Amino acid sequence: MKLYLEHSKADQRGNGEMVVIQNVQSLTSIKPVYIMAEFLKVRPIRQGNLFCHFGGQPLTRFQFTSVLSKVLKTIGVDYTKYKSHSFRIGAATNAAKLGLSDDEICKAEIEAWFVVSSIVKKAFVAARDSPGGVSLGPQRLGINMWWQGKGGMIWTDMYKKIKTLLKVNDKPQYLIMHCAANDMGKTKLKELIENVNTTLGKIQLLLPDTNIIWSQLLPRRKWRYSEDVNAMNKSLIRLKCSIAAKLVRNGGGYIEYPDIKPNDELLFDRDGVHLSEKGTEIFLNTICAAIEQFSKTGILVYPKLY
């Protein structure tokens, strides 16, 4: 069986690689070719990801890890010792064979989580269809982006969400959070700032070696809990400045989106809340540039302050 990998973390130069798996007939060995052939008999005949649902939707990392844990538990193996990262063993060896430096190999292991509210839906789809895929441009630097979130997510969901993600994956080098806009107008501003700062403190204790990044909330042309758009956007600025300042003092950072302004209607959908295709493109490009800066310079504020 031959597999052609167009991209992989070990292939930092983007040359592509052909992997040949022998059809071993030994009775005592695992038979990957036979197992794959059996799997393809039940896999839906559709283009796209190899591992998918019957409807063709790709299997998510969370679903893959959940199934893996259940299988290991069934056969009596300690499933707590294995996660999706377990399947990446050997990548550093392959990278070394390709002549990559130790620094380049280390970069291939960088994980970044992006945990956001409803904006993630459009951003994820746009990122998936972009040249860099769901990892965006940073993939060429060996940085893997993991998008997580849900529609209508509020700030009180954040800590629980991160603890859930840690059950199925290792701690990331970067945690980027974009949430709390749905709390605006529903929760008093002072209370919301206190809630966000308290939770960020808990997250930093939970992830002491992770770079905590606050993705500055975007302005809106319409707000759910108020008709005074200008007042809401001014309150948003106060929230952003307060959270970003404290997080930077505590060793974290933030991403600002200076090109997304509420008076530019072309950047927003008709609902005045979510970004249009153009707005999403600017959003993704900013994230891409920010992560590249973080990984290259260690400066966790984007754009840089001079």
Side-chain angles (χ1 to χ4, degrees):
M1 178 172 65
K2 294 183 179 180
L3 299 175
Y4 179 70
L5 303 179
E6 293 184 357
H7 308 283
S8 72
K9 291 187 175 180
D11 180 22
Q12 295 291 302
R13 297 184 177 89
N15 297 323
E17 182 179 7
M18 183 68 73
V19 179
V20 179
I21 302 176
Q22 300 294 332
N23 188 12
V24 181
Q25 299 297 327
S26 171
L27 295 176
T28 59
S29 66
I30 297 174
K31 302 177 182 179
V33 176
Y34 170 78
I35 293 173
M36 179 58 69
E38 291 298 303
F39 168 71
L40 292 176
K41 290 180 182 179
V42 297
R43 182 191 180 279
I45 304 176
R46 294 173 178 269
Q47 293 290 329
N49 295 69
L50 176 62
F51 297 108
C52 63
H53 296 277
F54 284 107
Q57 299 89 350
L59 197 68
T60 66
R61 184 185 304 196
F62 179 85
Q63 293 165 339
F64 175 85
T65 307
S66 297
V67 173
L68 173 66
S69 298
K70 291 178 181 178
V71 171
L72 293 175
K73 188 175 182 180
T74 299
I75 63 177
V77 176
D78 185 358
Y79 65 92
T80 62
K81 296 181 178 180
Y82 300 91
K83 296 180 181 180
S84 60
H85 272 57
S86 303
F87 290 83
R88 294 169 58 183
I89 293 174
T93 301
N94 289 334
K97 289 180 179 179
L98 290 173
L100 301 181
S101 67
D102 290 343
D103 183 58
E104 289 174 314
I105 292 173
C106 288
K107 285 182 179 179
E109 297 301 320
I110 295 176
E111 291 283 329
W113 293 1
F114 202 101
V115 185
V116 302
S117 55
S118 56
I119 195 172
V120 75
K121 294 181 178 180
K122 285 193 172 184
F124 176 84
V125 172
R128 182 190 62 194
D129 296 335
S130 70
V134 292
S135 289
L136 307 174
Q139 190 174 46
R140 71 182 185 279
L141 302 174
I143 302 173
N144 179 54
M145 285 289 292
W146 191 25
W147 293 78
Q148 289 292 318
K150 66 177 183 178
M153 185 175 179
I154 57 177
W155 182 251
T156 53
D157 297 327
M158 180 61 71
Y159 188 72
K160 182 178 179 181
K161 180 69 174 179
I162 292 172
K163 292 194 72 174
T164 299
L165 297 179
L166 287 171
K167 293 179 181 179
V168 297
N169 213 335
D170 297 328
K171 296 179 180 180
Q173 280 80 6
Y174 297 95
L175 170 62
I176 305 170
M177 294 169 287
H178 190 104
C179 186
N182 290 329
D183 299 85
M184 293 287 296
K186 184 178 181 180
T187 304
K188 291 183 178 180
L189 183 61
K190 183 178 179 180
E191 180 183 350
L192 180 57
I193 291 174
E194 291 176 352
N195 291 342
V196 173
N197 282 326
T198 299
T199 303
L200 287 176
K202 292 171 61 178
I203 292 172
Q204 288 184 306
L205 290 175
L206 184 66
L207 300 169
D209 299 321
T210 296
N211 294 300
I212 307 298
I213 308 296
W214 170 259
S215 174
Q216 294 282 39
L217 302 178
L218 301 176
R220 297 183 176 185
R221 294 177 60 81
K222 291 182 182 179
W223 289 89
R224 177 181 299 179
Y225 299 109
S226 176
E227 295 183 358
D228 192 337
V229 176
N230 289 330
M232 289 294 289
N233 283 330
K234 287 181 180 179
S235 295
L236 181 69
I237 293 174
R238 290 175 58 193
L239 172 68
K240 289 162 52 177
C241 292
S242 177
I243 301 303
K246 184 164 185 177
L247 189 56
V248 169
R249 287 197 300 270
N250 292 332
Y254 65 84
I255 302 174
E256 181 64 89
Y257 307 90
D259 295 323
I260 298 180
K261 301 175 181 178
N263 58 354
D264 191 342
E265 61 181 18
L266 295 179
L267 301 182
F268 294 86
D269 269 354
R270 293 180 179 179
D271 62 9
V273 175
H274 297 93
L275 296 175
S276 65
E277 183 176 343
K278 181 181 178 182
T280 299
E281 182 180 355
I282 293 174
F283 181 73
L284 291 176
N285 287 340
T286 304
I287 294 170
C288 178
I291 297 174
E292 184 166 345
Q293 174 191 293
F294 297 162
S295 65
K296 285 185 174 181
T297 69
I299 299 174
L300 301 180
V301 172
Y302 185 87
K304 289 189 294 184
L305 300 176
Y306 294 97

